[in-house]
Amino acid sequence: MFSTPFLDLPPLAGASGTVRLPGSKSISNRVLLLAALAGGTTTVHDLLDSDDTRVMLDALAALGCRIDRAGAGLRIEGLDGRLRTSGAKLFLGNAGTAMRPLTAALALLGGEFELSGVPRMHERPIGDLVDALVQLGCRIDYLGNPGYPPLAIHPVPLDSLQLAAPIRVRGDVSSQFLTALLLALPLAAGAASERADQASGRDITIEVIGELISKPYIEITLNLLSRFGIEVRREGWERFVIPAGSRYRSPGDIHVEADASSASYFIALGAIARGEGIRIEGVGADSIQGDIRFVEAARLMGAHIDSGPNWLAISRGAWPLKAIDLDANHIPDAAMTLAVMALYADGPCLLRNIASWRVKETDRIDAMAKELRKLGATVEDGPDFICVHPLARAGWRAASIRTYDDHRVAMCFSLAAFNPAGLPVRILEPHCVAKTFPDYFETLFSVAEAAEVPVLCIDGPTASGKGTLAVAVAYQLGYHYLDSGTLYRVTGLAMRRNGLEADAAHEMQIAELARTLPLRFSEGKVLLSGEDVSDAIRTEAAGMDASRVSALPAVRKALLALQKSFRRLPGLVADGRDMGTVVFPDATLKVYLTASAAQRAERRHKQLISKGISTTLDGLRADLEARDLRDSSRSVAPLKPAPDARLLDNSLLSVEQSVEQVLAWWQEVQPFGSS
C-alpha cells in the first residue's frame, strides 16, 4: 500500500495479465458479524484484510469473541446471542458496514455501548435505522447531531420489545439500514421462541417504506443469512419476514468471494486499454454480489467479456466506448467506474437513480463531478444523477485528483491515466484505498504498461550522501529505488571470492560473474545466493573494489541491463555515478550531488567510528580524492554531471533540506501545477 501524500501515475498505454482480487467488503463484514452472533465456531476463508474489516474485528473482540488465525483463515468462536461484556466504547472509522449492523445488534444484545467513527462517519445519516429500533423499544441516544453518529446504546430486556406490529424502515436512503435489521432481528426471534407466552410463535416482520435502493446488497444479506440458518421470507421488496424461533447456526467453514465492486476497475481496464486483455480470478458469473452486473454495463459500452464460475476475461471491443443512459441504482458502488469510462465514450453518458452516492464515504456525486472537471470534462449533475461528456485528445488536462478519503474515488480515477493525450494523473492521499483494497495500485501496476516510466537520477562522487538522499526521495514519491553502487559492490565481492583481480586480464571473467549474479533485495537486505551480504559490501575495502570493477568496460556493460530492469511502475529513483549520463539519459530529473572532499571525509569518519572501525580523517580524505580521480578519468562513463543535471552542493545542508530541494525540483518538472 502507498502511504505517500500523493502518487503520480505516468501515462499508461496498455494492460495485459491476470489479477486476483481481495475478498468482498460487503460479504466480509456481514460474515464476521454473523459468525460472532452464531453459536459454535466459524472458520472464514479469503476474508478481506482492510480498514473496514479490521474495525469490525476489533469491535467483535471487544464484545468477547475469541478470534484466532487458522492457517490462511480466521476462526471465530461465536457468542451464541449472548454478550461476554457489559459494555464498551467502539471506534468504527468510516465503515458503514460495521456501524449500521452493530448498532442494530448491540441494541438487542444488551449492554452499555458508545459507537463513534471518523468525522465523515458522523455526517452519514443513521436516523432511519435508529427510528426503526426505537419503534421496538430499544434505547439509543445521539451524542452529537440528531440523526447521526456517535451513538449511546443502552440495554433493554428482549421480552419488553414490541414485536407484534411490523417494524417500518425507510428504504430510499441506504440499504444498509434494512441489512442491519435483517442481521440483528433473529436475536429477538430466537429469544421469543424460548419464552412460554403467546409471543413464542410470532414471526417478526419488517416493512420497507418507499422505494428500496441497492436491492442487490439485500440479496447478499439474505443469501448469507441462509448460510447461517436464517431463512427470511421476502414478499416483493416491501416485506421481509423472519420466522419465529430463528437461530443463527454456524456453517463451520465459509469462503468470501472476491469483491465485485473492485472487479469493476479491472473490467474497465480491459475495456479501455490496448493489450491482450485482463483476466480476473476470484469472482465470476455466479457471484452473489449485485455489482457483478457491472459486466452488463461494460458490455453495453462495448467491452468483450467472457466469464465462468470464478473468473472474468475482458478485452477491448468497441472504440471509442459506446455512450450509455443507465439507471445505476442496482450497482451504486461500481457505477462510479462508469463515470470515468464515460471520458472514453462516443457521446455523453448519463447515470441515473444514484442518490445514495450522496451519503457514502463522501458526497460522491459532488466529488466525481469536481474531479472529472479538473481533467477537462464537461459534467452535469443533480440530486440523483450525473452526466459526463467525453474528452477529445486535445481536451485532457493533467490534474491532481482529490480523493476525499474515499477509496473508490482514488481507484476510479487511476483509469484516467490511460488518456490519449499521454498526460500523467496525480492521486492525492492514495492510502485511502486501504478501506477495501490495500494493494490496489500494486495490482494495477502488475498488469499496466506505461508509455514511459519516470526516473529521477541522483549521481555524485563517493560519500556525497546520494544513497541517503535517494532513499528518502524514493520514499516520499512511493517509487522504487536503485542503488547502483550495491551492484558494483556485490560484483567486487564476487570477484574476491572467486580469486580474481580488477584488471584487464580478469575483465571478461568478472563481467560474466556480473551478468549472472544470483542477487535479490529483500526487506532492506542484499542477498547473494540467499546469503545476506549487506554488511560485507559496506566496508571500505568493498567500496574500493566497487570503484575498481566499475572502471572495467565489460563489467559496466554486463550490469547495464540489470540496472535498467529496475525501471518499473510507478517510477524509479536511481543513485550512482552515471545514472543520468549512461543508464537513464532520458530521466525526468537529474541531480548531481556533491560536497567538498573534506566534508565527505568527515561524514565518512563519523560513520565508521560509530561502527567501531578505526580510521583517520587524513587517510579517508586521501582515499576519496584518489577514488574521485580514478572515477572521473576512467575511459568508460567517467564521473561527471549530465549536461542537464541540477547541481546540489550539500556541504552545508541537512538531509531533510536536500530532500526538500530535490522534491521542489521534481514538482517543477511535473505538469500538475497547483490544481
Side-chain angles (χ1 to χ4, degrees), residues 605-627:
H605 182 260
K606 290 179 180 178
Q607 185 182 56
L608 294 175
I609 292 298
S610 69
K611 294 181 178 180
I613 301 174
S614 179
T615 185
T616 65
L617 272 173
D618 289 343
L620 285 173
R621 180 170 180 174
D623 285 345
L624 288 172
E625 289 173 342
R627 196 178 302 183

Side-chain angles (χ1 to χ4, degrees), residues 63 78 104 119 121 159 193 229 402 476 600-601 612 617 625:
L63 300 180
M121 177 56 79
D159 59 8
S193 70
R402 183 184 171 198
Q476 290 291 324
R600 288 185 284 137
L617 272 173
E625 289 173 342

Side-chain angles (χ1 to χ4, degrees), residues 49 72 91 130 179 354 356 361 449 500 599 602 633 661:
D49 180 14
F91 177 79
V130 171
T179 279
I354 54 171
S356 65
E361 282 80 347
E449 301 160 10
L500 305 176
Q599 182 65 43
E602 185 174 332
S633 59
Q661 178 60 73

Side-chain angles (χ1 to χ4, degrees), residues 533-555:
V533 296
S534 307
D535 293 333
I537 63 171
R538 294 302 171 194
T539 65
E540 284 300 294
M544 293 298 291
D545 281 341
S547 180
R548 293 187 183 104
V549 298
S550 68
L552 302 174
V555 174

Side-chain angles (χ1 to χ4, degrees), residues 461-641:
T462 298
S464 58
K466 56 185 180 294
T468 301
L469 176 59
V471 167
V473 171
Y475 176 79
Q476 290 291 324
L477 296 175
Y479 281 5
H480 298 286
Y481 166 62
L482 167 60
D483 175 3
S484 65
T486 291
L487 306 185
Y488 286 100
R489 285 172 178 266
V490 173
T491 301
L493 178 65
M495 172 191 74
R496 288 294 175 197
R497 289 182 171 182
N498 282 271
L500 305 176
E501 292 291 337
D503 54 29
H506 297 103
E507 181 175 352
M508 300 314 296
Q509 291 172 272
I510 299 169
E512 185 59 27
L513 284 174
R515 237 186 314 270
T516 58
L517 279 177
L519 178 68
R520 67 185 181 91
F521 300 92
S522 176
E523 299 178 352
K525 298 177 181 178
V526 181
L527 304 177
L528 181 63
S529 296
E531 176 193 352
D532 185 357
V533 296
S534 307
D535 293 333
I537 63 171
R538 294 302 171 194
T539 65
E540 284 300 294
M544 293 298 291
D545 281 341
S547 180
R548 293 187 183 104
V549 298
S550 68
L552 302 174
V555 174
R556 301 191 68 81
K557 183 177 180 181
L559 289 176
L560 185 60
L562 180 58
Q563 292 175 101
K564 288 185 175 181
S565 71
F566 281 81
R567 190 173 193 169
R568 302 189 300 272
L569 285 168
L572 174 68
V573 177
D575 91 66
R577 301 177 195 179
D578 59 359
M579 294 294 99
T581 53
V582 176
V583 184
F584 301 111
D586 61 341
T588 309
L589 175 65
K590 302 171 188 176
V591 176
Y592 190 83
L593 185 68
T594 189
S596 66
Q599 182 65 43
R600 288 185 284 137
E602 185 174 332
R603 291 174 182 169
R604 180 57 60 87
H605 182 260
K606 290 179 180 178
Q607 185 182 56
L608 294 175
I609 292 298
S610 69
K611 294 181 178 180
I613 301 174
S614 179
T615 185
T616 65
L617 272 173
D618 289 343
L620 285 173
R621 180 170 180 174
D623 285 345
L624 288 172
E625 289 173 342
R627 196 178 302 183
D628 289 349
L629 178 62
R630 182 168 58 251
D631 290 343
S632 62
S633 59
R634 64 194 179 207
S635 60
V636 178
L639 176 63
K640 62 179 181 180

